[in-house]
Amino acid sequence: MEYIKGLHHVSMSVLPEDYEKVIKFYTEFLGLEYAHQSLGNTLLSFGNAVLEIFPDGDGSAQQGPLNHFALSTDEPDKLMEKVRSAGYTVRDELIDFAPPMADGEYYPLRYGFFIGPVGEIIEIFCEVPVEK
C-alpha cells in the first residue's frame, strides 16, 4: 500500500425525490457531518472517509461490484437498537466473530447489517479490543 492511505469515499446515486430523505437519514439519524456540497451532490464525512450522494439515480438496480459500506462504531448494540427503533430493516443481527489472521492471531469483531432509506446495505462494524 505504498500509495494508498485508506478509504476516501463511497458514492450513492439516489432518486431525485429521495435525495432530501437520504441526506436527512445520514446527517440527522446517523450523525454524519457535511463535508462539501457542489455540482449537485453532497459529501458527508464519517471519520476518515466520505459518503458522496448524487440525486441522479433512475431507480434501476445498480448491484455492480459494490455490495455494502461499513460504518465503524464503538457502540454497535446502541446503534443497532437505534436502527431497529426507527423502523429500518435489520438484515443481519449483530454477531461476534474472530477470524484467524495470517500470523495466527485473531481479529475480533462485532458486526451486523441493515437496510438504509433507499435500499442501500449498511454494515455496523466494531473492532473489539482484546485485553491482554
Side-chain angles (χ1 to χ4, degrees):
M1 290 193 14
E2 181 178 355
Y3 300 107
I4 307 300
K5 293 180 184 177
L7 177 67
H8 182 270
H9 74 274
V10 175
S11 182
M12 294 176 58
S13 288
V14 301
L15 291 170
E17 60 266 26
D18 288 336
Y19 185 67
E20 291 303 320
K21 171 177 74 172
V22 171
I23 298 298
K24 186 175 180 179
F25 170 78
Y26 285 101
T27 57
E28 294 179 19
F29 185 73
L30 288 178
L32 277 63
E33 297 179 3
Y34 283 92
H36 188 66
Q37 286 185 294
S38 67
L39 304 174
N41 68 336
T42 298
L43 294 127
L44 303 174
S45 175
F46 61 102
N48 64 343
V50 174
L51 175 61
E52 177 181 42
I53 304 170
F54 286 94
D56 63 356
D58 62 8
S60 63
Q62 297 180 9
Q63 189 65 21
L66 180 62
N67 177 274
H68 70 276
F69 63 90
L71 299 175
S72 179
T73 180
D74 289 333
E75 299 286 349
D77 295 279
K78 288 180 181 177
L79 181 52
M80 188 63 89
E81 183 53 38
K82 181 177 180 176
V83 165
R84 184 177 281 106
S85 294
Y88 291 100
T89 301
V90 174
R91 194 191 83 173
D92 297 301
E93 293 290 343
L94 290 168
I95 64 168
D96 295 311
F97 186 57
M101 299 186 301
D103 63 5
E105 294 291 319
Y106 290 88
Y107 182 57
L109 16 130
R110 183 162 178 75
Y111 69 97
F113 295 86
F114 71 98
I115 309 299
V118 291
E120 70 277 26
I121 299 170
I122 304 167
E123 180 179 10
I124 294 173
F125 187 89
C126 177
E127 295 177 87
V128 181
V130 177
E131 294 186 26
K132 295 192 177 201

